[in-house]
């Protein structure tokens, strides 16, 4: 069981560069999420999706874009990287059940220099 | 807006003792869910336990139990018979009782178990 798979695990970007963080899940979950975790802090929701073709903003969406063309994949795009986007990024998914837990990927550690 | 507060930045406990990690929350919603996640030093997020706002009994999962006091808006995690492997960051989170689990997390408590 792969669960939620994120790539890459680590990345260093220069200011102004762009990149896409990949996320794939094999559990056929409707809901998928992107969170960021700054040092010493809890996770904050960036974007989420309730199904293919449907996405919505979370608490901290500025500087990011997402798309959901399939149930399995939910990539996160950074267009113009800034030092404030240095963080650990977690992708997660959950089924359409009341109170169901979210399953998290291993995280992507991104540093913008 | 929902808010989670964890007031203990760090906790130190002797192995085999029980430990309580505090969590208070604020919401105007009548229906909500409360979650606890564990984050070891390796960084992954591990689900521990869930409590729905309408659940009358406190949730339990093995050595983990959730002390839910709705009137006080608290959802403390109790770990019985702590083990060295329990050393980690612990996050309390809140979300809806159904649908997309758009979670709001607290800042976390770092638990260290001493041998």
């Amino acid at each position: 069981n792969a669960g939620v798979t994120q790539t890459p695990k680590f990345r260093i970007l220069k200011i102004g560069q762009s990149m896409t963080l990949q996320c794939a899940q094999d559990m056929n979950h409707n809901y998928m999420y992107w969170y960021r975790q700054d040092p010493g802090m809890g996770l904050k929701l960036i974007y989420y999706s309730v199904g293919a073709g449907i996405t919505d903003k979370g608490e901290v969406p500025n500087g990011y874009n997402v798309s959901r063309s399939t149930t399995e994949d939910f990539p996160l795009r950074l267009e113009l990287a800034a030092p404030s986007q240095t963080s650990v990024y977690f992708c997660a998914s959950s089924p359409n059940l009341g109170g169901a837990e979210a399953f998290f990927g291993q995280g992507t550690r991104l540093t913008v220099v | 807006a929902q808010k989670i507060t964890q007031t203990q930045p760090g906790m130190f406990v002797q192995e085999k003792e029980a430990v309580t990690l505090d969590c208070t929350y604020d919401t105007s919603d009548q229906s909500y869910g409360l979650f606890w996640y564990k984050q070891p030093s390796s960084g992954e997020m591990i689900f521990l336990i869930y409590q729905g706002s309408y659940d009358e009994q406190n949730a339990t999962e093995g050595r983990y139990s959730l002390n839910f006091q709705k009137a006080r808006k608290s959802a403390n995690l109790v770990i019985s018979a702590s083990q060295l492997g329990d050393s980690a960051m612990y996050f309390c989170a809140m979300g809806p009782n159904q649908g997309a689990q758009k979670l709001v997390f607290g800042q976390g408590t770092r638990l260290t178990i001493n041998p």
Side-chain angles (χ1 to χ4, degrees):
Chain A
N1 285 339
V4 179
T5 302
Q6 291 183 235
T7 55
K9 288 187 170 51
F10 303 93
R11 183 73 186 266
I12 298 175
L13 275 183
K14 293 184 178 180
I15 295 172
Q17 286 185 324
S18 300
M19 78 164 294
T20 299
L21 280 66
Q22 301 292 343
C23 176
Q25 53 97 1
D26 62 358
M27 297 173 282
N28 202 32
H29 288 167
N30 288 334
Y31 303 135
M32 295 189 74
Y33 319 85
W34 275 104
Y35 291 89
R36 61 176 285 174
Q37 183 181 25
D38 296 332
M41 305 292 286
L43 281 67
K44 292 187 177 181
L45 183 64
I46 305 171
Y47 270 95
Y48 69 100
S49 168
V50 300
I54 306 170
T55 63
D56 206 348
K57 296 177 180 178
E59 184 183 354
V60 289
N62 291 344
Y64 307 95
N65 279 301
V66 293
S67 60
R68 182 100 181 266
S69 57
T70 66
T71 299
E72 294 77 21
D73 300 301
F74 190 40
L76 177 72
R77 178 83 178 160
L78 284 72
E79 289 294 348
L80 293 170
S84 61
Q85 293 177 306
T86 293
S87 190
V88 179
Y89 291 83
F90 286 97
C91 179
S93 71
S94 65
N96 186 9
L97 292 172
E101 68 184 90
F103 294 80
F104 284 81
Q106 296 280 10
T108 296
R109 185 175 296 275
L110 176 67
T111 303
V112 181
V113 296
Chain B
Q2 297 179 329
K3 185 177 180 181
I4 295 285
T5 302
Q6 294 180 254
T7 57
Q8 306 155 309
M11 289 275 288
F12 295 86
V13 173
Q14 287 298 118
E15 189 179 8
K16 299 181 184 177
E17 289 184 349
V19 57
T20 298
L21 304 182
D22 294 340
C23 172
T24 58
Y25 61 91
D26 190 21
T27 183
S28 56
D29 295 337
Q30 295 300 311
S31 176
Y32 50 88
L34 293 153
F35 301 77
W36 278 92
Y37 282 84
K38 172 183 179 182
Q39 187 177 45
S41 57
S42 50
E44 71 268 32
M45 297 292 288
I46 301 169
F47 167 76
L48 295 178
I49 197 166
Y50 163 82
Q51 177 88 39
S53 58
Y54 293 122
D55 295 340
E56 294 187 352
Q57 289 195 335
N58 287 341
T60 59
E61 289 285 348
R63 293 188 299 112
Y64 304 108
S65 61
L66 200 153
N67 184 0
F68 182 47
Q69 298 188 44
K70 196 171 182 177
R72 294 187 176 184
K73 293 189 174 180
S74 74
N76 298 339
L77 177 70
V78 180
I79 306 174
S80 63
S82 58
Q83 302 170 356
L84 295 178
D86 294 333
S87 294
M89 282 290 288
Y90 288 81
F91 291 98
C92 181
M94 161 180 275
N97 243 345
Q98 58 186 9
Q101 294 301 301
K102 298 174 289 177
L103 299 177
V104 174
F105 284 82
Q107 288 191 305
T109 295
R110 181 170 297 281
L111 175 64
T112 302
I113 308 298
N114 295 317

